[in-house]
Amino acid sequence: MASDHVDVIIVGAGLSGVGAACHLRRSCPDKTYALLEARDAIGGTWDLFRYPGVRSDSDMFTLGYVFKPWTNPKAIADGDSIRDYVRETAREYDVDRHIRFRHRVVSADWDSATARWTVRAHRDDTAETVELTCGFLYVCAGYYRYDAGYIPPLPGVDRYAGRLVHPQHWPADLDHTGKRVVVIGSGATAVTLVPAMAEQAAHVTMLQRSPTYVLALPSRDSLADALRRWLPAKALYPVVRWKNVLLATANFQLSRRAPGLVKKLLRRAASARLPAGYDVDRHFSPRYDPWDQRLCIAPDGDLFAAVQSGRASVVTDTIDTFTAHGIRLASGEELPADVVVTATGLNLLALGGMTLRVDGAEVDLARTVAYKGMMLSGVPNLAMTIGYTNASWTLKADLVATYVCRLLRHLDRTGQQIVTPQPPPDDGRVPLIDLRSGYVLRSLDALPKQGRSAPWRLYQNYPRDVLLMRHGRLTDEGVRFSRAGSPERSAQRA
Ligand SMILES: Cc1cc2nc3c(=O)[nH]c(=O)nc-3n(C[C@H](O)[C@H](O)[C@H](O)COP(=O)(O)OP(=O)(O)OC[C@H]3O[C@@H](n4cnc5c(N)ncnc54)[C@H](O)[C@@H]3O)c2cc1C
């Protein structure tokens, strides 16, 4: 294993951390690195979530890495295939040899005199604290707590005698065959679980307080299927990737500029797949505009087909109380349930929960401003990966990795050692994440902010970010380059 000082420490061996390591290997092969992973497996999200039907809700031509073609014919892929893809990539680029499993990073201290981070990781298996140093800290720890998903207050739940499960910790022994299931929630997880469980269950009810936009999309990509006969995977991949990027960007822009029109189109598309006379407005027409929250995908219309067949139903109501045998609703209706799944969401967590200190002063994340959506004002030599909210996560993760490699090469070329983002000149601050979903709103106060204009502003626009991150200037008014020795005092100035 590598020594206890490396050029770069990557935190997290999920999709982003493994991708970051591959980019380093490809673009900065002389840099030494270690990857610290809290769990004992590669894959992050795609290893943790094991609920029935777990799958991507964006296409794998954009959720896959820019440098490794997705060759599976399914464009909307199951969790196992995504985990295998990440593992295979780690093996191909020799990343697995650099991973230290069961190392949960708890703190990182920056010292300007030596231009180094001292990173402390807790080993849950041996209860030891391990210390490593690095010149650059690259956090790919995802965006939510791994130990506990979000469960809202559930009145009377103690009375309930059936099985209560959260999708984040799916019990391996749960057999729902022939059971009556209620899935509480209306997000991507509920929309995935309902048709998947309906295949074996006696009946599945999706119980939602309010509806979400659900769009049926083919699980295979017709352009990829057509081109596969003529083009090798390496040539086909960027073509389909860009087609999907442009379609998704156009869809998002249209939703923002003409929300009324997009609402109508989504309603019409849902209605066409539901039984005649179905109350589409009540169950599938949200009050918010499209893309105020992420749009949910139903591959090949599976959710609608489950409702159409009677194997599943949607109920829009609030819980009055759990009873011994199910749930009583505010309307008085009773939903009998042998199994209740709380698909009620995640608890957001920034930077994997680690504490950052810069020259001894603790960084208050809420007072920092993100620079290009990937570095923090006043915090030297640190980058983080937070993916897009309106497009595939990996599109942004790849761009962040490209930018980090450019920065590292720039530091070497210019004889500098430190890059410190500066806060924006004016006081304009806006939330970092522009979704109105409950899980985002619950945590916004604790997260870094963004500025009102570039380079502190995220536009959630991949083509624009390609220009900025791959080809844009590294030296702008948002960053200061320096050498070891001068204490960094701006961490809390933001
Ligand atoms: C069920 C589900 C489905 C999703 N589907 C999509 C989708 O279709 N499209 C899309 O774009 N996005 C999707 N997302 C978002 C998804 O999380 C990202 O696509 C992507 O997997 C994130 O990868 P990551 O490596 O950044 O984070 P993660 O997958 O969360 O991996 C982070 C890794 O860091 C480790 N870690 C965390 N904290 C520490 C610490 N302090 N020390 C050491 N290690 C640490 C974790 O153990 C984990 O292995 C989905 C999310 C969920 C929960």
Side-chain angles (χ1 to χ4, degrees):
M1 184 51 77
S3 80
D4 287 335
H5 177 80
V6 286
D7 295 323
V8 182
I9 286 179
I10 299 170
V11 181
L15 194 58
S16 306
V18 168
C22 298
H23 277 276
L24 273 181
R25 164 86 191 270
R26 288 162 62 94
S27 304
C28 302
D30 54 327
K31 294 288 175 210
T32 56
Y33 76 91
L35 217 152
L36 305 183
E37 167 53 55
R39 302 176 69 240
D40 57 2
I42 290 177
T45 298
W46 303 106
D47 184 71
L48 177 74
F49 281 84
R50 302 292 179 120
Y51 58 77
V54 58
R55 58 159 172 84
S56 66
D57 60 357
S58 50
D59 73 281
M60 291 307 299
F61 291 92
T62 55
L63 192 59
Y65 301 114
V66 66
F67 55 84
K68 183 172 165 69
W70 175 259
T71 52
N72 184 323
K74 284 258 177 184
I76 305 281
D78 60 86
D80 286 353
S81 310
I82 305 175
R83 187 174 63 242
D84 290 349
Y85 170 81
V86 179
R87 282 190 185 158
E88 187 182 284
T89 312
R91 265 197 312 277
E92 265 174 41
Y93 283 83
D94 207 22
V95 174
D96 32 9
R97 235 171 31 85
H98 296 260
I99 304 178
R100 300 187 190 194
F101 289 107
R102 293 190 171 278
H103 281 61
R104 186 164 48 82
V105 175
V106 289
S107 68
D109 284 77
W110 170 258
D111 175 32
S112 295
T114 54
R116 280 188 175 186
W117 285 101
T118 300
V119 175
R120 281 176 201 86
H122 182 75
R123 291 197 57 163
D124 293 334
D125 51 345
T126 61
E128 281 171 274
T129 298
V130 179
E131 211 171 272
L132 290 95
T133 57
C134 66
F136 198 96
L137 183 59
Y138 191 172
V139 185
C140 298
Y143 63 104
Y144 62 87
R145 267 175 64 174
Y146 267 65
D147 56 342
Y150 175 71
I151 305 182
L154 298 172
V157 70
D158 292 346
R159 237 177 291 159
Y160 179 55
R163 195 93 187 253
L164 186 73
V165 295
H166 193 285
Q168 194 161 329
H169 304 283
W170 198 262
D173 68 333
L174 179 63
D175 179 7
H176 60 275
T177 311
K179 303 259 167 67
R180 296 162 305 174
V181 180
V182 172
V183 177
I184 304 175
S186 59
T189 301
V191 166
T192 302
L193 267 167
V194 170
M197 293 187 85
E199 282 172 22
Q200 285 97 30
H203 185 80
V204 183
T205 307
M206 181 162 123
L207 171 59
Q208 56 181 15
R209 214 169 28 189
S210 54
T212 304
Y213 291 109
V214 182
L215 175 66
L217 281 183
S219 60
R220 293 176 70 116
D221 189 295
S222 52
L223 178 65
D225 284 349
L227 292 181
R228 204 165 275 124
R229 279 181 289 155
W230 312 104
L231 291 179
K234 232 178 155 173
L236 173 155
Y237 188 57
V239 175
V240 181
R241 189 178 168 87
W242 270 106
K243 183 265 291 174
N244 289 354
V245 162
L246 295 176
L247 275 179
T249 309
N251 166 326
F252 180 74
Q253 292 301 334
L254 185 66
S255 302
R256 280 285 170 251
R257 281 152 212 242
L261 171 69
V262 176
K263 261 183 182 182
K264 261 192 216 142
L265 293 174
L266 287 168
R267 189 193 177 283
R268 192 180 305 161
S271 180
R273 289 177 175 267
L274 288 163
Y278 191 85
D279 193 347
V280 184
D281 290 324
R282 181 167 173 78
H283 303 306
F284 286 97
S285 299
R287 283 184 293 270
Y288 60 84
D289 284 342
W291 282 111
D292 280 354
Q293 298 185 21
R294 266 185 94 110
L295 212 79
C296 290
I297 299 303
D300 303 320
D302 59 358
L303 175 69
F304 300 114
V307 172
Q308 179 75 261
S309 70
R311 287 178 286 119
S313 50
V314 181
V315 171
T316 308
D317 204 336
T318 48
I319 297 174
D320 173 29
T321 183
F322 272 75
T323 63
H325 305 293
I327 297 174
R328 191 166 63 232
L329 302 171
S331 62
E333 188 187 349
E334 302 249 357
L335 296 178
D338 307 306
V339 178
V340 172
V341 183
T342 50
T344 42
L346 308 162
N347 286 306
L348 289 200
L349 183 68
L351 297 180
M354 73 181 74
T355 304
L356 293 179
R357 280 177 288 265
V358 173
D359 293 325
E362 189 166 325
V363 176
D364 177 358
L365 279 186
R367 294 183 62 197
T368 60
V369 182
Y371 168 79
K372 294 182 178 165
M374 54 159 288
M375 296 176 85
L376 297 174
S377 58
V379 184
N381 289 21
L382 177 139
M384 58 183 186
T385 299
I386 301 180
Y388 290 119
T389 50
N390 63 347
S392 283
W393 182 276
T394 320
L395 291 172
K396 182 70 187 289
D398 274 330
L399 288 181
V400 171
T402 304
Y403 197 85
V404 167
C405 292
R406 288 181 67 205
L407 262 184
L408 294 173
R409 291 198 308 265
H410 177 82
L411 289 170
D412 287 349
R413 213 172 36 242
T414 55
Q416 304 284 2
Q417 292 166 299
I418 305 175
V419 50
T420 313
Q422 305 299 302
D426 62 66
D427 275 343
R429 303 279 190 278
V430 287
L432 185 63
I433 306 177
D434 64 353
L435 288 181
R436 311 297 301 158
S437 311
Y439 71 98
V440 174
L441 297 178
R442 279 195 301 277
S443 311
L444 268 188
D445 287 350
L447 297 180
K449 306 291 176 284
Q450 60 173 326
R452 291 201 182 275
S453 56
W456 295 276
R457 183 70 200 258
L458 275 172
Y459 292 96
Q460 301 286 347
N461 183 321
Y462 178 70
R464 186 173 179 157
D465 283 350
V466 166
L467 295 177
L468 181 77
M469 314 277 278
R470 261 195 220 152
H471 308 290
R473 278 172 45 210
L474 293 168
T475 50
D476 59 30
E477 73 276 29
V479 276
R480 187 159 60 81
F481 289 91
S482 57
R483 293 186 55 79
S486 52
E488 187 51 62
R489 278 190 288 269
S490 55
Q492 301 302 319
R493 237 184 24 217

